[in-house]
Amino acid sequence: MPQARPILRIPQANSLVQKRINWVTRLLLEKQANLQFRTKLLLSLVLITAGLTFATLLVVRHTAELQAERQIEQDARNALLTFQVVENQNQALLSRKADLLAMLAFMRNGDATTIQEVSQDPWQSDECDLFVLADHKGKITALHTTIPNLSAASAEEMLRRSRKEGSGAGWWLSDRHLYQVVLQPFYEDERLKNHLLGTVVVGREVDAKRAKDLGRISSTDLVFRSGDDIVVNTLPLINELELTSQLGAQAVHGQVHIGNKKFFASSAELTPGVHPGISLTVLKSYDEATASLGRLNHVLQGLGLIAVLAGGALVFAVSDAFTRPLANLVKGVRAVEQGDFAYPLDTPGRDEVAQVTRAFEKMRRTLQSNDAQRQQLEDQLRQAQKMDALGRLAGGVAHDFNNLLTVIKGHSDLLLTRLERGDPAYGSSEQIRKTADRAASLTRQLLAFSRRQVLQPKILDVNALIVEMGKLLSRLIREDIEFLLRLGESLGRVKADPGQIEQVLLNLTVNACDAMAQGGRLTIETQNVVVDEEYAQSRPSIQPGHYVMLAVSDTGHGMDAATKARIFEPFFTTKESGKGTGLGLASVYGVVMQSDGFIWVDTEPGNGSRFEIYLPRVREHLDHSTIENAIGGSARRSETVLLVEDEEEVRTLASEFLRAAGYRVFVAQDGAEGLKIVERMGKTIDVLVTDVVMPKMSGPELVKRLNPLLPDLKIVYMSGYIEQNEECRKLLEESLYLQKPFSRDMLLRLVSQALWNKPFAHPIAQASKD
């Protein structure tokens, strides 16, 4: 089988030198981190120069190897062509002798003595080793050969095979003796080729001597084979067995190893179509090319060493001139690392190094001014991450707590409706309800902090809201505190929940008053603010844009950095035990963040505090919608309500509220059970009151399933809290929402509103007043 084209590899005379160079290179790379820049640059450039030089020389050597390999292949092919030329010349010589012998045999009418006479004639037998005369049947009548053991029977068999092939020339093999033969028949009528009288065969033996003469012409070794047996070869006898295993029975084209030598082999079939056939394999040695490339390798190594030394000298001069100005710059950098921003830098000239030095001088001034800001940003990032984690925790606690408060508050309302005011248990029930309301207020603050409070945003004029709260604020502020209002003119509009903004203002006012135990000044101001990049850098938490700023300032005792870092954490307070829940500023933070705004605090111990709230300005018109009174829950109803709630206590309580009001109520513990009830009851269901988050099937998914069955079904959602995403916002815009914990009146009002499709203040705002 043809082998893959080999790549000529030359043994490296300088392998030890190369190993030492590789070792030095690795050592330099390991120690480079401890060297000066100039030394690093010098070493790097020297290594690059050496690498490029050796790479170029390797490419040259590789190209020479490929060229030598191609030359060897071409020489092998040329040797085959040379043999074919010699073969044709010998065939022509044998053909002439065969013609003469056939003519002589014809004239003597096939007399066998003709062969004897010709074989004894030196002129006739020159370069001929085989004479054969056969009759018209192919029987040998005369045979003369230089090989004593060539029998007439073997000659007849080879003659019969040659005549069967119809060839006038060919190759005969007898007992490892190879002949190139020519067959010449003679006829009674030579012109018409009629009546075959016999055949003359003239042959020339190809022995080892003649094979070596042919190989000497092309500087190759020749191997004649019959199948996978070697007949004649020019290699030493000791290599014949290895030669047989290397060559095999197939034609060989490629690299072979015989002994400790390497050859390129190329084969040709001498008797195509005959089995076993005679083939010739030409072996071209690589020794001469190896020696030539070895000499080239030494020359290339010398050139490489000269190039590296010359390049190193040039690189040293360049690096020395380039790196000296950098030494001063390096000292300046180290001074900055140690906190010294005043180290003098020498910046002569207009070259690149001088420009870099001047740029570094500007940069270190910027670093000095931004160092404090960077620390502040890191603190704010940590604070934001902590606030987010606390918000998730607070939201989860508020969700579970709201279900408990719904049951407590609802049953206290039931007790109050069943007891007379003079009853001893009436006061206890009323106290339970008030305590539940206070707890509900705490959960609303937790939800506000965690940004899971359901807001009812409207287009607001913040100035009008502050003026409307004036009387309430004046009652909260003590007489020893001076109260100032500085409301900006032409104030922009914001989109926010007015109830929550009022709560924010109340919490900030109460905290400011508590911070001024000995009296002081409280200032509330508003103004339009355009936050650009420079302004945002002074308040890193704020994004550039157009805002309405609401600021509350006091002249109280202020806060240190540690307290400031924790003021928005839930349940963190600096007040005495029992005088604060620690949720006021936490809810302020949550409401502002949920309204897409920002809050900034500026405070120092002894210098008071200033809270700035930035709400995005909007271009929409002011919302003048009024709050209409809800439809009372006392009217007796007869409609059918489907109540779906996974908490059993809440489900039982809400069912009792609705049945007491006269509604027909079906209850389900999840969406899947609710769907089955609707499929059974059909259009008798008027209102669906469903929790939002439930196992098996959520409230919104249940509504989606019911739309094709009851397109006019009224929906009231209820939940402890809702995630503030786009889907939830759409849900709140299209349906009524009941915030847990809820009262009996609130539940009945929303169900009645759903039935009559009348506008109603959002339950959250109302619930905060209950």
Side-chain angles (χ1 to χ4, degrees), residues 196-259:
L196 177 67
L197 297 178
T199 304
V200 173
V201 180
V202 179
R204 178 177 182 271
E205 183 183 6
V206 179
D207 55 7
K209 178 178 180 301
R210 287 176 174 166
K212 288 182 179 180
D213 292 338
L214 288 174
R216 193 178 299 112
I217 297 174
S218 56
S219 300
T220 58
D221 288 298
L222 303 180
V223 180
F224 291 89
R225 296 183 296 158
S226 174
D228 56 352
D229 295 328
I230 297 177
V231 179
V232 179
N233 70 88
T234 60
L235 293 172
L237 182 62
I238 194 173
N239 295 327
E240 184 170 340
L241 182 60
E242 186 175 1
L243 181 64
T244 302
S245 63
Q246 283 281 331
L247 299 182
Q250 303 294 329
V252 178
H253 296 279
Q255 189 180 39
V256 296
H257 292 268
I258 301 174

Side-chain angles (χ1 to χ4, degrees), residues 447-629:
L447 289 173
F449 165 73
S450 62
R451 284 167 277 176
R452 289 172 171 84
Q453 177 76 307
V454 178
L455 302 182
Q456 186 71 15
K458 296 182 179 180
I459 306 303
L460 298 178
D461 182 347
V462 178
N463 283 349
L465 184 143
I466 294 174
V467 171
E468 186 177 346
M469 292 183 63
K471 294 182 180 180
L472 176 61
L473 294 176
S474 61
R475 289 197 299 269
L476 293 174
I477 300 172
R478 302 191 309 272
E479 293 182 356
D480 59 348
I481 296 176
E482 180 185 3
F483 179 40
L484 299 177
L485 278 180
R486 296 176 181 173
L487 305 182
E489 298 181 358
S490 302
L491 195 67
R493 306 294 186 245
V494 299
K495 187 173 184 179
D497 187 322
Q500 294 299 322
I501 299 301
E502 290 177 357
Q503 192 66 43
V504 167
L505 194 56
L506 286 174
N507 287 339
L508 292 179
T509 301
V510 170
N511 279 358
C513 293
D514 291 342
M516 296 182 290
Q518 306 300 324
R521 182 173 63 253
L522 171 64
T523 304
I524 298 178
E525 58 183 299
T526 60
Q527 63 176 325
N528 295 324
V529 175
V530 177
V531 177
D532 54 15
E533 295 292 341
E534 183 178 356
Y535 193 97
Q537 288 182 359
S538 63
R539 291 162 172 76
S541 62
I542 304 176
Q543 300 296 325
H546 296 265
Y547 297 91
V548 170
M549 184 191 71
L550 168 62
V552 177
S553 306
D554 65 70
T555 58
H557 50 67
M559 294 174 283
D560 56 21
T563 303
K564 178 183 174 182
R566 301 187 60 191
I567 57 174
F568 294 125
E569 294 181 10
F571 306 114
F572 173 77
T573 181
T574 58
K575 299 177 182 178
E576 297 178 5
S577 177
K579 291 189 177 181
T581 62
L583 288 174
L585 290 180
S587 63
V588 169
Y589 175 84
V591 169
V592 173
M593 295 297 105
Q594 196 172 351
S595 301
D596 297 327
F598 301 93
I599 187 168
W600 173 259
V601 182
D602 184 15
T603 180
E604 289 182 3
N607 291 328
S609 302
R610 176 180 175 86
F611 289 79
E612 296 179 358
I613 296 172
Y614 294 82
L615 299 175
R617 269 190 279 172
V618 297
R619 297 182 179 273
E620 302 176 38
H621 296 292
L622 194 63
D623 190 352
H624 294 287
S625 60
T626 59
I627 300 177
E628 299 185 6
N629 291 327

Side-chain angles (χ1 to χ4, degrees), residues 32 63 81 154 207 231 307 357 370 476 524 551 582 623 709 717 751:
Q32 191 177 16
T63 304
L81 295 176
S154 298
D207 55 7
V231 179
T357 303
N370 290 344
L476 293 174
I524 298 178
D623 190 352
L709 302 176
Y717 288 106
V751 172

Side-chain angles (χ1 to χ4, degrees), residues 322-352:
F322 175 72
T323 56
R324 282 190 182 278
L326 291 177
N328 188 41
L329 180 59
V330 170
K331 293 179 180 178
V333 172
R334 290 176 178 172
V336 171
E337 291 177 350
Q338 298 172 1
D340 181 9
F341 292 91
Y343 184 85
L345 293 175
D346 186 16
T347 57
R350 297 177 177 270
D351 58 8
E352 290 81 356

